[in-house]
Amino acid sequence: MRRDPDPLARLVQPVSRVLRQGSALTVLSGLVWPAQAALVATAFGRLVAGQPVGIGGLAAAYVVLGLVRAWLGMAADRKAQAAAETLTAGLRAEIVAGEAARSGAGAAGGAGAVAALAAEKLEALVPWLTRYAPARLRVAVLPPVILALSLWFSWAAGLVLLISGPLIPVFMALVGLAARETSERQMARIGSLNDLLVDRLSALADIRLLGAGDAVARDFATQAGGLRRDTMAVLRLAFLSSTVLELFAAVGVAMMAVWVGFSLLGVVSFGTWGAPLAPEAGIFLLLLAPDFYQPMRDLAAAWHDKAAAEAVAAELAARAATQTPSLPGRGERVAPLAGPASITLAGCRAAHGLRLPDMAIAPGEAVALVGPSGAGKTTVLRLMAGLSLPCDGEVRVAGQTLTSDNADAWRARIGWMPQSVHFLNASLRANLTLGRAGDVAAALAGSAAAGVVTRLPGGLTARLGETGGGLSGGEARRMTLARALHGAPDVILADEPTADLDAGTAGAVAEGLLAANRRGATLVVATHDRNLAARMDRIIRLEGTA
């Protein structure tokens, strides 16, 4: 996959107008200072020359300009903060909505990585928007303006700034090459550490039963130590760049002060455009010199903010590039789709290019999908369930073409048993019913899971965590079967329902599925289990051709 050359610029496009307005205001605020410096230089120059100062008028003008500068700075900060809040809130909403609508397991990482991205990493964009972006425009405008003003009074003063100034961005570019890689490594470590924490917490009961607490703690300490080292590496780069920049700025200001002082004392007579350097001009140059370097100092101080923001933008771009298609429909609770419990696939091609065979499944039929791994068995089940739509071809259910408009209604008729076990962070009853009406006891009996519920603390009120902590693999699989059977759906789709189960548990799960079929439900299972496939009415073989 080709990397986006500038994912950060693409990311901030929605708030670019507000960001430009804020940056323009901060530049205007910086341009006020030369006028204030001119007032101060005029006052001191008149004092040195023994002329009337008119301190009242100069002080009043200085205060007015100061108020204008403060107002412009405050307005710029508000614009930048508004842009940051709008962007992060919008991106956070997109991440949450994307996770809610994802039709399958994507490449975006686990729950911990997603939470870290939405809650922690997005905040790394705020300093870039509020500090780095305005500083970048100030660097583009203010130093050239101050350089031009300095050259107006003295070519030597301009030469001092012209020699010392370019050293700063050169060093910043060198530091930036290392800062970006270090920040990307730190951001990746944050996501993986959050994933590790979520995984270990979900399996806490099993970890205690196995006595693996010390080993898990050591592993977590190792990962946390790696994050600490990456964070310190980022901070070292930030302090290094700031230290070198301060050195260059201090040397430049000192050189300016030495030349101005010797010129006013008459020790040196070169550097001006003919006439000797006037006190007003010398003081003006001394007041301007620090502000020549200040925008670059601000930019260097926020340089690591740029590296962190680029790392987050690259992660968001990669996430968008690998995001699975959204779930068809709105995910709303609607009335079941009318019509027979029939399913037909014709000329279908999946999103990843896999060609699928045509098939027609009659109401009440029991069908097994078999074939090698990667042949498309899970893809076929997802198309049948309305969890995704084909790129080409047609899926017909209940005599109608399956679309996003009727996907919710079709799914209301389906009992779904996925290959991967997953539970909501809610009670066991809520996980089994999912808000649907039906007989919980009958579903548990049909999946041979009533005994499992009896031994759980709290029974149907027990909370298992997302991965079913406290249940064995077979018990968790029986719970997913109970969820599929709840409400007596007239279509049941099961993905590898007996995989990795002992013979007794596999037999109980298979019997529960076949019992539902005997009462009239259409049953489709994707399986490598030859015994289960042999008990179906029909077998459809998939070869997996592109």
Side-chain angles (χ1 to χ4, degrees), residues 256-505:
M256 179 71 75
V258 169
W259 180 83
V260 169
F262 284 161
S263 294
L264 292 179
L265 291 173
V267 176
V268 297
S269 57
F270 65 87
T272 60
W273 302 105
L277 186 69
E280 294 93 333
I283 295 172
F284 183 66
L285 291 173
L286 288 176
L287 291 173
L288 285 186
D291 268 59
F292 175 81
Y293 301 101
Q294 188 59 49
M296 289 180 279
R297 295 166 70 182
D298 294 340
L299 189 67
W303 192 258
H304 63 285
D305 297 331
K306 172 180 179 289
E310 286 178 339
V312 174
E315 182 174 346
L316 288 169
R319 175 185 172 82
T322 57
Q323 191 72 41
T324 53
S326 298
L327 184 71
R330 298 185 176 183
E332 299 176 342
R333 194 173 301 281
V334 297
L337 185 67
S342 59
I343 307 172
T344 301
L345 272 66
C348 289
R349 182 175 64 87
H352 49 280
L354 187 64
R355 289 283 180 184
L356 302 173
D358 294 349
M359 60 187 73
I361 299 173
E365 191 175 9
V367 175
L369 303 176
V370 301
S373 297
K377 299 186 296 296
T378 298
T379 300
V380 170
L381 285 183
R382 296 183 63 80
L383 291 175
M384 290 180 174
L387 296 177
S388 59
L389 297 175
C391 291
D392 295 322
E394 179 184 48
V395 178
R396 294 183 64 82
V397 295
Q400 305 177 40
T401 300
L402 182 60
T403 66
S404 289
D405 294 333
N406 60 15
D408 289 328
W410 171 243
R411 289 195 294 265
R413 300 180 60 175
I414 290 174
W416 173 254
M417 188 177 178
Q419 183 175 359
S420 299
V421 175
H422 186 83
F423 294 94
L424 303 175
N425 185 23
S427 68
L428 180 57
R429 181 187 295 276
N431 273 281
L432 295 177
T433 64
L434 298 179
R436 302 166 298 173
D439 188 345
V440 175
L444 291 172
S447 60
V452 178
V453 175
T454 302
R455 75 166 184 81
L456 286 175
L460 288 173
T461 64
R463 289 177 178 263
L464 306 177
E466 293 185 356
T467 57
L471 294 178
S472 68
E475 290 171 341
R477 191 65 61 84
R478 277 183 275 174
M479 287 301 171
T480 60
L481 174 58
R483 179 164 56 194
L485 297 178
H486 181 265
D490 53 4
V491 177
I492 297 177
L493 305 176
D495 192 1
E496 299 289 357
T498 60
D500 303 321
L501 299 181
D502 60 79
T505 304

